[in-house]
Amino acid sequence: MADIVYTYHNSVYFNITNKCPCRCVFCIRDKVDAIGEAENLFHETEPTIEEIIKAVDSYDFSGKDTAVFCGYGEPTNAYENLIATAEYLRKKYPSLKLRLNTNGLSDLINGRETAKEICKVFDSVSISLNDITSEGYDKITRNIYPGKAYEAMLKFAKDCVNEGTQTRLSVVDVIGEEKIKKAKEIAESIGADFLCRKYDS
């Protein structure tokens, strides 16, 4: 069975699904089977909530202050398990900070607005902006919602900001300095933080 909970850069990470509506050109899962202290992040079958809770109960959270939902899939593709696990962690480890790393396409994936419910259980949300136009975004992410995904992602980001949750938009440095500058302006325009991540080849 693949790792559900693993350690990376001294933070706890949750790998609750391998499903994702994107096939990003720089996705790390196309290069290696695992990162951090995980041995394998590819699930043979999608983990159940019971398996996720068992993994939580088996993990030693000593010295950990943050738990990040970010594995080899888009966490909101397992939406009910995502919310249930976050709620469980809230009760069991009330001082633990919870962060969602997401492509921001939860509303399209789940067919409804989801930011309000997500922001009730997460302290922060980090969203992959990827590019500064819809066309560029579709080219980089190769998502299943072409022409719709970019605006949906931005709306989700705005909704998270409006909920008062710490929200961050990120890009990878391969898009070039001019786009990075514009991406930062986009983030600032909606009240979000900004991060430019270094591409790891």
Side-chain angles (χ1 to χ4, degrees), residues 6-8 13 28 32-39 41 70 72:
Y6 64 102
T7 303
Y8 183 56
Y13 278 71
I28 193 171
V32 292
D33 289 338
I35 57 174
E37 295 182 6
E39 295 182 3
L41 293 174
C70 176
Y72 270 17

Side-chain angles (χ1 to χ4, degrees), residues 35-170:
I35 57 174
E37 295 182 6
E39 295 182 3
N40 177 28
L41 293 174
F42 286 106
H43 299 293
E44 290 185 9
T45 59
E46 293 285 287
T48 64
I49 186 59
E50 290 78 16
E51 290 170 332
I52 297 171
I53 295 302
K54 182 179 179 181
V56 171
D57 291 340
S58 300
Y59 188 86
D60 182 6
F61 285 82
S62 300
K64 301 295 190 297
D65 58 9
T66 304
V68 184
F69 283 74
C70 176
Y72 270 17
E74 165 53 39
T76 62
N77 254 104
Y79 189 78
E80 300 304 325
N81 287 352
L82 172 69
I83 299 300
T85 306
E87 290 176 339
Y88 184 76
L89 286 166
R90 278 272 184 236
K91 292 177 182 178
K92 187 167 186 176
Y93 301 104
S95 64
L96 193 67
K97 297 294 184 182
L98 302 184
R99 184 175 87 225
L100 172 64
N101 285 9
T102 176
N103 57 30
L105 302 182
S106 180
D107 292 357
L108 289 178
I109 294 167
N110 296 289
R112 61 186 177 87
E113 294 185 351
T114 56
K116 183 180 289 291
E117 188 172 22
I118 286 171
C119 290
K120 283 182 179 179
V121 289
F122 282 92
D123 298 289
S124 61
V125 178
S126 182
I127 302 162
S128 299
L129 176 61
N130 286 310
D131 202 83
I132 60 172
T133 67
S134 179
E135 293 79 11
Y137 180 89
D138 288 345
K139 185 176 181 180
I140 287 176
T141 64
R142 298 181 292 190
N143 68 83
I144 64 173
Y145 311 107
K148 298 180 181 178
Y150 184 72
E151 292 302 326
M153 174 271 298
L154 284 179
K155 180 185 182 304
F156 176 80
K158 293 174 185 175
D159 288 347
C160 290
V161 170
N162 290 337
E163 289 298 322
T165 298
Q166 182 180 357
T167 305
R168 180 176 69 190
L169 292 179
S170 70

Side-chain angles (χ1 to χ4, degrees), residues 26 130-132 140 171-180 183:
F26 47 71
N130 286 310
D131 202 83
I132 60 172
I140 287 176
V171 296
V172 179
D173 62 3
V174 295
I175 65 173
E177 290 186 12
E178 285 302 313
K179 284 189 175 182
I180 291 171

